[in-house]
Every structure is written in C-alpha cells, then in structure tokens.
C-alpha cells in the first residue's frame, strides 16, 4: 500500500514539474506577431518558419506568429506578452496613435524609402485603363501607400474600375505585362533593370505613366503601449542583428529589405 | 474612386452533413461563405474537388480579389454528384470557379447557363475541345516563354538549351516552345527519345553544344530524372525543370511551377470582367497561368559554378541552401 502511494506521488511529481515549468514559460512568453492580410500564403508559411527559427536562436524567449485575420490579430495584440508586431504602414495609419507605434523600419541598401512606377506598353494611354488589369505585387493591396497613390492619379485621369491583379513579386507583375496578361504594372524601377537583362525588347516597349513619391518602406516593426522597456530592448537588439543569421537573412530576402533601422519621427515627413 | 475589393471576411462556416454511411453521418461537403463588398454583389461559387493546400492558396487569392459574395464548396469525401449540384444550385450562382478535374467535369455537365471558369485541371486541353460555350479556363502549364523568362533572370547567359522529348508524344510541345523562345534569343536543341527509350543515353550523345538541359513536362523523360541528372552533373551542365519544385530539391539548378495564389487572383479578375460584361466567355477562352514560382538550388549552383546575381535574390520564390 505504502509502495503504491509512493509510486503515485512520484508520478504526480513527475507530471507536476513540467507543468510548473510550462506555466513559468507561458508567463514569460514573448510573441512577435506579423499581420499581413494580403501576403501570399506560401510566402507566409516560409517566412513564419524562418522567423521562428531565427527568434529561437536568439535565446530570448521570443516566438513568432503570422496572422491573416484582422480580428484575430487585434485580439492577440491585447494579450500580455504580445505587444509587438510587424505590420504595414498602411495598417498603422488605420489604427490611429493609440494602438501601436513604430519601432524599426526596414531599409534596403541604406534607404528606408522606396518608390514605384506605373508602367505600360507605349501604345496604351492612361485613359484606356478603365476596367483593365493592373498587375501589382503581393504587398500592393488597396490599402498600401503606392497603390493608393497610383489609384488616385488614375482617378484624376478619368480611369474607373481598374482591376488589381495580385502577383508575388514586382518581376511577376512586369512579366504579366510583357505576356499581355495585364495592361499595366506597378513596380519598383529595379525590377525593370532586371527585366532589361531578360528581354531588352520587352523593356524597349515600356513607358512610365506615373511615378509615386518616395515613401517609407513597409512593414514596420511596431510596439504597443503596454510593452515593457526590457522586452522592447531585447527585441530591438535581436532584430538589428537579423542579417547575421541565415534564417533572419532569408526572412529579409523574402520581405525585400536588408536591414532594420530605428524609427525616427522625421522619417514620416 | 475604386470600389473596395473584398478581403477574406471571416465568413460563416456551415458544415453540411450530406452523406450518411454505415449509420454514421459524414461531412462530405464543406460550405464556407465570404461576405461580399456590398449587399447586391453577384453570387459566385467556388467548387473544389478536395481540400488541398494548392487549392486553398488559389481560393485565398480568389477571395481577396473577387468582387462578389463568394461561397466555397469543398467536396471533401466524395459526396454524390447530385448532392454537390444541389448545393451549388441552391445558391443561384452568377459565376462558378472550379478547382480540380472532377469539379470541372461535374460543373460542365450540370451547369450550362452559368459562366464556368476552371483551373488546376489536368488534361484541360482535351476537355476544352468539346467544351460548352459557357466554359472557360486557366491552363495548368505555364508557357515555355514564361518559364524561361524566370530561368534567364538567374542565368542571363543561357542561349543554347537542350531539351528531350518523347518521339510521337510531345513533339508539338517542343516545336511550340522552340518558336516561343526565339523571343528571348534562346535556341532550343531538341533531342528525340523513342518511347520507352533511354533518356540519359540520348542526352549523353547529344548534349555537346548546349549550355543547359531543360527538363520539360514529358512524363517518360521526367521519370528518368536521376539518370539524366548524373549525366548533367558529369558534364557540368545545369538542369532547368518544369512542373514541380521537387526537381530543384532533387538536384536541378532551378525549377518552376505554377503559383496557385496568383491563379486565384487571375480567376477573380476574369470573373469580374465577365460579370461586368467587359469580356465574354469566348474572349477569355483558355488563358495561361499568370505567374510561376521559381525555386533555385544554391548547392547545385555552387557545384556547377553558376553565379546567381545578387540583385535577383528578392525575386526568387524559394532559395534552397
């Protein structure tokens, strides 16, 4: 009887130790969220896997979670330990000042700004884009700054109901234009340089209809008000060293930037 | 100003228990509804043959860009044709988008008065020959031109590329590709392999003048991948593969495959144009898939001494270490 009791106690204590450990870990859990409703599903899966591996390697207890539903994202953001997120600048604009404030900005070749061009074939006039396909890359959803800017220009030119075709990368948007599956493409100038190497003939027939102003790169790493200073510091330090980690580098490649830089208010001007 | 285009809005998940087997109720059809952008948005049904990751990506792309009230019906456990047709008909759709061969086979028989667009259907070309006037589609295979545009992005020096084909089977595909690739200044060097013949031996005998080997969509040649790969490594010539990412994982330098989410976006654009009356079903016909994924194997690149331009890295869908 006594032996049976001892065995029971041992089993109970064996179960209890991990439970206590799990509770402690849960209490200290720090989660970085990614909210990108328009991301390509395949890309998101790969980004989430690489980001998780990178954060795990930093040893600071951070986990990573990608979310596509806004309601889910906002609910997660209210949970303790989930006050950090990577979101588009367009999303930040819609949440106002209270929810999240920018912490880090992505940069590419030491530039935190970018601009895009609306290109089309030389034969096409802006007006004829009504009801036609405009190829945009994954990040170019309706809410994104560059798409909004171009749609505003098109509206001024009398274009109504253009159809946005979502493609994974700017080069895909250009190729859709080249193969006649889109009537215009909204792309970064660099993708045109790459296209020039693939087919100089294709680029020779292109014309830039509009060019956006320089805009702050997106997505930003942002922080909620409830986040502690220590948490903030550990995440910032981890992300600033992201390019040195192979998985971190892969995430950056997929998200199209090569470094994080601290956000400064004058970057928005 | 443009109308807001709907995003995947939570949606109402209804599980319709339509099949009863051995006294147990089985969920055969899963019906998921996404709210439209406005009350009178057209009713659009997506009918998918099964619940598969590629189809899910296509549905995601479609729902994000579709201008209608989208209901996705998934035949998860072989519900009877009549049950599927009844479920679709009850919604009174103005447009049907099918994913998978069984779905288009069923829809093309059951619905002759609604525009039907298919995608992800094998042998679409043979089906389309006898298609009713309400049927249009997105092909399963990218064109050689779109595949090589991606290959050339990584290897701009590609000019003379060997390709093997099964005699009497894929001759016409090679000829078409040969014509298309002139646009990119790529000369295809076809190598005929008799049906059931040794592709590796044929390649070894004729690979001399080529810069690389294109493993095009030819089942007989593709199933000899390992043997052909050994020759290609021995001759230090990269392999460029069609159809599936798995060839890059197995040792090809690069592989292209369709991008399912883009196909969903492409389908949404077609739906909108047909529903708004700016394009007819006949004008749509069968379209090529709008984007291809490119996977590059950097280990193979290193072995073969292929330098991948640094500035194209962001445009590669997946880089294998």
């Amino acid at each position: 009887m006594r032996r049976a009791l001892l065995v029971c106690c041992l089993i109970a204590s064996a179960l209890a130790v991990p439970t206590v450990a799990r509770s402690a870990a849960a209490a200290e859990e720090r989660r970085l969220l990614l909210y990108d409703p328009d991301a390509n599903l395949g890309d998101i899966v790969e980004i989430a896997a690489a980001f998780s591996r990178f954060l795990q390697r930093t040893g600071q207890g951070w986990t990573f979670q990608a979310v596509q539903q806004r309601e889910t994202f906002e609910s997660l953001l209210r949970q303790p330990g989930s006050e950090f997120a990577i979101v588009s600048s367009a999303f930040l604009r819609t949440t106002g000042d209270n929810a999240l404030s920018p912490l880090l900005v992505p940069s590419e070749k030491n530039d935190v700004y970018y601009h895009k061009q609306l290109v089309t074939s030389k034969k096409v006039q802006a007006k004829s884009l009504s009801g036609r396909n405009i190829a945009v890359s994954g990040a170019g959803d309706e809410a994104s700054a560059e798409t909004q800017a171009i749609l505003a220009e098109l509206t001024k030119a009398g274009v109504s109901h253009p159809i946005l075709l979502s493609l994974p990368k700017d080069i895909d948007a250009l190729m859709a234009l080249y193969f006649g599956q889109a009537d215009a493409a909204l792309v970064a100038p660099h993708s045109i340089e790459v296209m020039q190497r693939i087919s100089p003939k294709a680029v020779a027939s292109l014309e830039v209809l509009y060019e956006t102003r320089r805009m702050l790169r997106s997505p930003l790493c942002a922080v909620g008000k409830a986040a502690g200073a220590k948490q903030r510091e550990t995440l910032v330090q981890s992300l600033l060293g992201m390019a040195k980690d192979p998985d971190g580098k892969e995430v950056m490649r997929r998200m199209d930037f090569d470094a994080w830089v601290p956000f400064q208010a004058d970057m928005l001007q | 100003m443009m109308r807001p285009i709907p995003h995947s809005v939570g949606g109402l998940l209804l599980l319709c228990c339509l099949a009863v087997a051995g006294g147990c109720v089985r969920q055969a059809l899963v019906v998921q509804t996404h709210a439209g952008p406005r009350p009178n948005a057209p009713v659009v049904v997506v009918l998918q043959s099964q619940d598969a990751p590629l189809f899910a990506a296509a549905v995601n792309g479609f729902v994000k860009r579709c201008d209608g009230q989208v209901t996705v019906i998934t035949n998860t456990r072989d519900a009877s044709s009549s049950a599927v047709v009844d479920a679709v008909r009850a919604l009174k759709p103005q447009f049907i988008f099918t994913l998978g061969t069984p779905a288009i086979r069923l829809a093309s028989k059951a619905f002759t008065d609604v525009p039907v667009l298919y995608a992800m259907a094998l042998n679409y070309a043979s089906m389309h020959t006898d298609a009713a006037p309400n049927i249009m589609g997105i092909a399963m295979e990218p064109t050689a031109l779109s595949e090589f545009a991606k290959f050339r992005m990584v290897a701009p020096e590609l000019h003379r590329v060997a390709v093997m084909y099964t005699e009497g089977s894929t001759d016409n595909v090679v000829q078409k590709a040969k014509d298309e690739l002139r646009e990119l200044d790529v000369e295809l060097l076809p190598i005929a392999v008799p049906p059931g013949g040794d592709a590796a031996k044929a390649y070894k005998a004729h690979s001399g003048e080529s810069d690389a080997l294109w493993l095009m969509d030819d089942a007989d040649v593709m199933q000899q991948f390992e043997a052909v790969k050994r020759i290609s490594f021995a001759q230090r010539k990269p392999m460029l593969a069609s159809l599936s990412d798995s060839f890059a994982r197995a040792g090809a330098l690069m592989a292209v495959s369709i991008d399912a989410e883009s196909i969903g976006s492409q389908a949404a654009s077609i739906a909108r144009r047909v529903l708004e009356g700016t394009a007819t079903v006949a004008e749509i016909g069968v379209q090529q898939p709008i984007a291809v994924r490119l996977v590059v194997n950097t280990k193979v690149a290193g072995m073969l001494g292929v330098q991948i331009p640094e500035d194209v890295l962001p445009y590669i869908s997946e880089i294998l270490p």
Side-chain angles (χ1 to χ4, degrees):
Chain A
M1 181 66 186
R2 197 180 284 174
R3 193 175 170 195
L5 197 62
L6 183 65
V7 170
C8 284
C9 285
L10 283 173
I11 293 171
S13 59
L15 288 173
V17 170
T19 311
V20 170
R22 271 200 301 273
S23 309
E28 288 173 12
E29 192 183 344
R30 298 159 174 181
R31 185 162 40 186
L32 175 62
L33 303 170
L34 168 68
Y35 172 60
D36 189 351
D38 285 278
N40 183 294
L41 271 184
D43 254 1
I44 279 289
V45 170
E46 299 293 337
I47 287 170
F51 222 132
S52 296
R53 288 193 297 270
F54 159 68
L55 287 175
Q56 202 172 15
R57 221 171 281 138
T58 63
Q60 301 289 338
W62 287 93
T63 58
F64 183 80
Q65 186 172 351
V67 187
Q68 281 208 303
Q69 297 286 343
R70 184 168 182 147
E71 299 77 21
T72 313
F73 172 66
E74 287 176 339
S75 143
L76 284 171
L77 213 50
R78 286 192 288 272
Q79 292 179 13
S82 299
E83 297 91 355
F84 294 86
I86 295 177
V87 292
S88 68
S89 49
F91 174 81
L92 276 189
R93 280 199 302 276
T94 64
T95 59
D97 294 336
N98 297 326
L100 289 167
S101 50
L103 198 59
L104 296 171
V105 183
S107 106
E108 169 77 14
K109 295 188 175 72
N110 296 318
D111 193 355
V112 294
Y113 299 100
Y114 75 103
H115 76 286
K116 290 215 173 183
Q117 295 174 326
L118 184 71
V119 294
T120 186
S121 137
K122 277 183 178 159
K123 292 172 275 183
V124 173
Q125 304 241 318
K127 271 184 188 173
S128 62
L129 291 175
S130 289
R132 311 300 296 182
N133 286 333
I134 298 179
V136 296
S137 63
D141 64 296
E142 286 76 17
S144 78
E146 75 261 19
T147 314
Q148 286 291 0
I150 287 300
L151 289 176
E153 290 290 345
L154 289 175
T155 305
K156 270 193 258 170
V159 175
S160 59
H161 302 300
I163 302 173
L164 298 181
L165 260 176
S166 299
L167 294 163
K169 318 261 182 199
D170 280 2
I171 198 75
D172 298 307
L174 265 185
M175 286 184 187
L177 176 61
Y178 174 36
F179 299 135
Q181 292 167 303
D183 303 282
L186 184 58
V187 296
H190 174 257
S191 63
I192 301 174
E193 291 168 26
V194 172
M195 193 70 195
Q196 170 78 28
R197 297 203 294 261
I198 298 168
S199 171
K201 203 157 66 175
V203 172
S205 68
L206 294 181
E207 187 164 59
V208 177
L209 276 186
Y210 297 108
E211 194 150 357
T212 67
R213 62 181 169 81
R214 276 162 58 82
M215 291 173 288
L216 195 61
R217 281 185 183 275
S218 193
L220 311 166
C221 177
V223 58
K225 282 192 170 165
K230 193 180 165 197
Q231 278 186 323
R232 186 184 297 227
E233 187 55 25
T234 62
L235 183 66
V236 166
Q237 288 311 316
S238 297
L239 294 185
L240 288 176
M242 204 165 163
K244 293 178 196 146
D245 179 275
D247 283 308
K249 207 170 172 182
E250 174 60 9
V251 168
M252 293 163 115
R253 183 192 71 80
R254 284 182 177 274
M255 296 174 84
D256 205 8
F257 65 97
D258 58 23
W260 286 107
V261 295
F263 173 79
Q264 292 159 17
D266 63 0
M267 284 176 172
L268 289 172
Q269 287 156 15
Chain B
M1 192 62 197
M2 258 192 77
R3 261 179 315 201
I5 299 177
H7 284 229
S8 173
V9 185
L12 172 66
L13 186 70
L14 298 170
L15 298 176
C16 299
C17 303
L18 294 173
V20 178
C24 296
V25 176
R26 297 198 306 161
Q27 292 165 355
L29 285 186
V30 175
V31 181
Q32 188 170 19
T33 305
H34 301 263
R38 56 184 187 282
N40 294 326
V43 176
V44 175
V45 168
V46 179
L47 179 60
Q48 51 180 352
S49 308
Q50 55 175 306
D51 190 7
L54 267 186
F55 291 180
V59 168
N60 193 46
F62 186 77
V63 170
K64 273 195 281 195
R65 289 287 178 222
C66 185
D67 204 17
Q69 302 173 55
V70 182
T71 299
V72 182
I73 299 181
T74 311
N75 189 358
T76 57
R77 292 192 189 175
D78 299 328
S80 69
S81 300
S82 60
V84 178
V85 171
D86 287 349
V88 175
R89 219 182 277 285
L91 295 163
K92 299 187 177 143
Q94 288 152 281
F95 191 94
I96 299 173
F97 174 40
T98 68
L99 289 163
T101 306
I104 179 58
R105 286 217 171 105
L106 181 64
S108 60
K109 279 184 200 149
F111 305 100
T112 52
D113 52 350
V114 183
V116 177
L117 171 70
Y118 64 81
M120 310 273 192
L122 289 169
N123 299 322
Y124 71 91
S126 58
M127 272 190 307
H128 207 92
T129 314
D130 305 319
N134 64 319
I135 308 291
M136 62 203 135
I138 299 173
M140 188 84 176
E141 302 87 15
T143 59
L145 190 59
S146 62
E147 292 192 15
F148 270 78
K150 281 286 173 86
F151 294 146
R152 283 286 291 273
M153 182 175 81
V154 172
E157 71 285 357
L158 278 180
H159 287 290
R160 293 168 66 80
V161 180
V163 58
M164 286 187 286
Y165 68 98
T166 306
E167 257 179 330
S169 170
T170 45
D171 316 47
N172 56 342
V173 182
V174 172
Q175 190 52 51
K176 190 165 174 264
K178 205 173 172 182
D179 295 342
E180 278 179 19
L181 293 178
R182 285 200 189 103
E183 171 81 19
L184 293 177
D185 289 328
V186 171
E187 185 187 357
L188 269 192
L189 307 170
I191 302 171
V193 181
D198 187 336
K201 199 173 158 189
Y203 179 47
K204 196 173 181 181
H206 296 96
S207 65
E209 297 172 359
S210 59
D211 306 323
L213 169 68
W214 176 35
L215 197 65
M216 69 164 206
D217 186 2
D218 178 308
D220 284 358
V221 174
M222 277 182 159
Q223 66 185 0
Q224 300 181 56
F225 175 79
E226 284 300 327
V228 174
K229 184 178 81 177
R230 279 193 290 275
I231 306 293
S232 107
F233 274 142
Q235 304 195 350
R236 296 185 61 78
K237 292 190 177 174
M239 287 176 83
L240 323 168
S242 298
L243 199 64
S244 167
D245 298 356
S246 57
F247 289 111
R249 294 178 211 288
L253 171 65
M254 298 184 258
V256 289
S257 57
I258 51 167
D259 183 83
E261 192 150 336
S262 303
I263 284 182
S265 177
Q266 184 178 6
S269 144
I270 293 170
R272 184 160 158 186
R273 290 173 65 199
V274 170
L275 287 166
E276 286 179 353
T278 56
T280 64
V281 173
E283 282 165 352
I284 300 296
V286 182
Q287 301 213 340
Q288 299 306 320
I290 196 158
V292 293
R293 275 173 54 76
L294 174 70
V295 177
V296 177
N297 186 324
T298 52
K299 194 174 167 189
V300 173
M303 284 164 64
L304 299 175
V306 176
Q307 294 285 329
I308 303 169
E310 188 80 13
D311 68 341
V312 305
L313 295 179
Y315 301 130
I316 298 172
S317 314
E318 191 173 352
I319 296 179
L320 302 175

